[in-house]
Amino acid sequence: MVREFKLPDVGEGVAEGELVSWQVEEGDTVTEDQAVAEVETDKAIVEIPSPVNGTVRELLAEEGEVVPVGNVLLTFNVEGEESEPEEEATESAEASTDSQEAAVEESSASADAEETETPEGRVFAAPSARRLARELGVDIASVEGTGPSGRVSEHDVRAAAEGATESEAEEESEAVETEPAESEPATETGTTGGGAATTAATPAQVESADRERTLAAPATRRLADEQGIDINAVPSTEERDGQAFVTPEAVREYAEAQQQAQAADAAAVATGETGPREERIPYRGIRRTIGKQMQKSKFTAPHVTHHDSIDVTELVETRAELKEIAEERGIKLTYMPFVLKAIVAALKDYPYLNSALDEENDEIVVKNYYNIGIAVATDDGLMVPVLKDVDKKDMLQISSEMNELVEKARDRTISREEMQGGTFTITNFGAIGGEYATPIINHPEVGILGLGELKKRPVVVEGEVEARYTLPISMSIDHRIIDGAVVASFANQLLEYLHNPRLLLLE
């Protein structure tokens, strides 16, 4: 029996996920809870487990494809279970599309059965092959299947589509040769310098459309996103309901023409000629998630940033003494555990900095627990793992758990739960270089502490200038809740703990 498996909601409010990699292939035998795929959603890559014992029948998405939650990801052959009724599968597929796109594909939704009825009889085809045939405008009944029992695969559909395209291209080529140059389609361009007309766009002369609205299938829109193309700029040769309709083939042709133009521009630059040198990268995934969060925070909370610095020579000496002891216990001790302990000690005296604003109920929620987020720069963007209940842990425990979270964030194995529930955040931009910054609050928190570079600077000690280790800080706060005097007092106390780390023994 066939069992469909839809992409589950792997986190709170997640609407889609990008398929990073398949962990199985068609025909593989799997057991319940075995990982079948890796999906990236928000800031984490998560493994998707199999819900059943069975055999992988068909993979319905390609690696790199963005799959909406609720869409069928793959199918299993399972013994002892009945297949999902055709009507339910069709309703589910229709419900997952936007209303505009549903109107485009509704007419072909009835072709979702494993056996498709055509005037010539039955056609055995995979669901993904039928979907691809609709997108490419191929009559599934005319496709010769090469699979078992004549089953039509995606490869067969593509081969049929390419064959049809080649035939059309030959016809167009013949028409161009017999018609005057003036009658050539607007999407074709001629060579410069009086050369013969060609059917392919010459480099740096790619014709683009300029529409505000375009009809296209969801897979076509995904293809355009993957190619970094604005679908409203793709020339259209079809219309539906009086509006331009773009096919996957049109997207591919437009992308290829752009690539040729870019290659020509690069060659021109290499020979000393000037030309455009831009690259378009899709704004999605982690980068888009970070951007949306930063935008929401910056335009929701009025930011004020307080800057200061302190002599931390004693902190450097203390850490040097304890570092060897920590290494004997297999733990790498950095300055961060001292900073985390100092933050919690200061937050206890300034509780409003460990709060959030409940805007719906007009209430300030003061939190009596201390979950500190630690911003980590990774190759895929900024991640903020959260170290829970810092006030209840000793220095070495903090160091061990923090190092583990940072490593998991960098290799993308961190879970969504490990990046939630923070009450205050710290970011260490000084590890890369720099003294001061204006860090953006991790909304809905109300404060974030930025650390500058810890290094020796000139300091006046008892009337004499000495080279001492100093630490600059930048503290941003939500001015709706925190006043400038409060953040200044908080910073003074925090810096006192870092100036004299022995005070932390009293906390």
Side-chain angles (χ1 to χ4, degrees), residues 35-361:
V36 295
E38 285 188 337
V39 174
E40 178 183 343
T41 171
D42 285 343
K43 295 184 179 180
I45 292 180
V46 295
E47 291 187 339
I48 304 298
S50 169
V52 295
N53 297 323
T55 304
V56 178
R57 186 167 189 260
E58 190 168 16
L59 307 178
L60 299 177
E62 297 181 0
E63 293 182 355
E65 181 177 344
V66 177
V67 182
V69 169
N71 274 27
V72 179
L73 195 61
L74 71 161
T75 58
F76 298 97
N77 286 328
V78 182
E79 294 184 6
E81 290 192 6
E82 294 185 359
S83 301
E84 183 178 343
E86 179 184 343
E87 293 79 11
E88 292 183 9
T90 302
E91 290 174 5
S92 174
E94 291 177 354
S96 66
T97 61
D98 295 330
S99 58
Q100 183 63 49
E101 296 166 347
V104 175
E105 296 195 8
E106 211 168 51
S107 60
S108 56
S110 60
D112 283 343
E114 177 62 21
E115 291 183 356
T116 302
E117 290 290 344
T118 68
E120 293 77 18
R122 296 178 178 178
V123 175
F124 290 85
S128 58
R130 292 193 298 274
R131 183 170 59 248
L132 181 62
R134 294 196 299 271
E135 293 169 357
L136 298 180
V138 174
D139 180 5
I140 194 74
S142 66
V143 180
E144 183 179 351
T146 60
S149 302
R151 188 168 185 259
V152 177
S153 66
E154 290 185 52
H155 174 75
D156 298 329
V157 174
R158 288 195 179 93
E162 290 172 1
T165 302
E166 289 174 1
S167 300
E168 293 173 1
E170 291 176 2
E171 293 175 2
E172 290 178 3
S173 177
E174 293 174 0
V176 169
E177 291 175 1
T178 57
E179 293 177 2
E182 300 84 74
S183 64
E184 292 177 5
T187 55
E188 298 174 353
T189 61
T191 58
T192 59
T198 64
T199 57
T202 58
Q205 293 180 344
V206 179
E207 291 286 344
S208 299
D210 185 16
R211 297 184 299 271
E212 294 183 357
R213 191 173 184 184
T214 300
L215 297 183
T220 305
R221 295 183 184 278
R222 287 196 297 270
L223 177 62
D225 288 341
E226 291 167 0
Q227 298 289 341
I229 289 173
D230 179 4
I231 200 164
N232 291 325
V234 179
S236 169
T237 57
E238 296 183 27
E239 282 193 1
R240 296 193 181 181
D241 297 330
Q243 295 198 33
F245 179 79
V246 169
T247 64
E249 189 61 31
V251 172
R252 293 190 185 96
E253 289 179 357
Y254 184 71
E256 184 177 352
Q258 281 198 327
Q259 290 170 2
Q260 291 176 354
Q262 291 169 1
D265 290 333
V269 171
T271 59
E273 299 179 21
T274 59
R277 290 176 287 177
E278 295 182 350
E279 180 183 4
R280 288 184 173 269
I281 300 172
Y283 179 57
R284 66 185 189 195
I286 291 176
R287 179 53 55 194
R288 185 176 65 176
T289 300
I290 295 172
K292 286 184 176 180
Q293 176 67 8
M294 294 298 99
Q295 181 181 14
K296 179 181 178 181
S297 176
K298 191 66 176 178
F299 289 99
T300 300
H303 282 54
V304 171
T305 304
H306 176 84
H307 302 286
D308 208 337
S309 64
I310 192 68
D311 180 350
V312 290
T313 302
E314 281 195 42
L315 173 62
V316 173
E317 294 171 351
T318 302
R319 183 248 182 179
E321 293 174 5
L322 298 178
K323 183 180 178 181
E324 292 184 4
I325 299 175
E327 288 178 350
E328 291 175 359
R329 302 184 186 183
I331 299 173
K332 179 182 178 181
L333 181 64
T334 64
Y335 293 107
M336 192 63 74
F338 294 92
V339 177
L340 292 174
K341 274 292 189 182
I343 286 174
V344 171
L347 286 176
K348 289 181 178 180
D349 288 333
Y350 296 91
Y352 277 72
L353 279 162
N354 198 54
S355 68
L357 180 60
D358 182 349
E359 297 179 61
E360 284 191 15
N361 298 306

Side-chain angles (χ1 to χ4, degrees), residues 325-467:
I325 299 175
E327 288 178 350
E328 291 175 359
R329 302 184 186 183
I331 299 173
K332 179 182 178 181
L333 181 64
T334 64
Y335 293 107
M336 192 63 74
F338 294 92
V339 177
L340 292 174
K341 274 292 189 182
I343 286 174
V344 171
L347 286 176
K348 289 181 178 180
D349 288 333
Y350 296 91
Y352 277 72
L353 279 162
N354 198 54
S355 68
L357 180 60
D358 182 349
E359 297 179 61
E360 284 191 15
N361 298 306
D362 290 329
E363 294 175 337
I364 298 173
V365 183
V366 178
K367 301 175 181 180
N368 297 318
Y369 53 94
Y370 303 90
N371 298 342
I372 309 300
I374 304 165
V376 178
T378 74
D379 293 338
D380 299 293
L382 192 69
M383 297 190 184
V384 187
V386 176
L387 187 61
K388 307 291 176 63
D389 299 318
V390 176
D391 58 317
K392 299 178 181 178
K393 297 170 181 175
D394 60 41
M395 198 77 73
L396 293 183
Q397 188 177 2
I398 290 173
S399 185
S400 177
E401 292 186 15
M402 182 195 69
N403 293 340
E404 181 181 352
L405 284 172
V406 169
E407 188 64 28
K408 290 170 74 174
R410 285 177 176 157
D411 63 20
R412 302 298 304 280
T413 59
I414 193 166
S415 69
R416 187 179 180 85
E417 291 73 20
E418 290 173 315
M419 294 191 293
Q420 294 177 327
T423 62
F424 190 92
T425 296
I426 181 171
T427 177
N428 183 16
F429 51 82
I432 301 172
E435 296 188 9
Y436 299 101
T438 54
I440 298 178
I441 300 165
N442 191 10
H443 186 77
E445 298 169 16
V446 300
I448 181 171
L449 176 69
L451 300 179
E453 184 179 8
L454 192 161
K455 68 177 184 180
K456 282 188 174 181
R457 296 179 177 88
V459 176
V460 177
V461 180
E462 296 181 355
E464 299 292 332
V465 177
E466 297 183 12

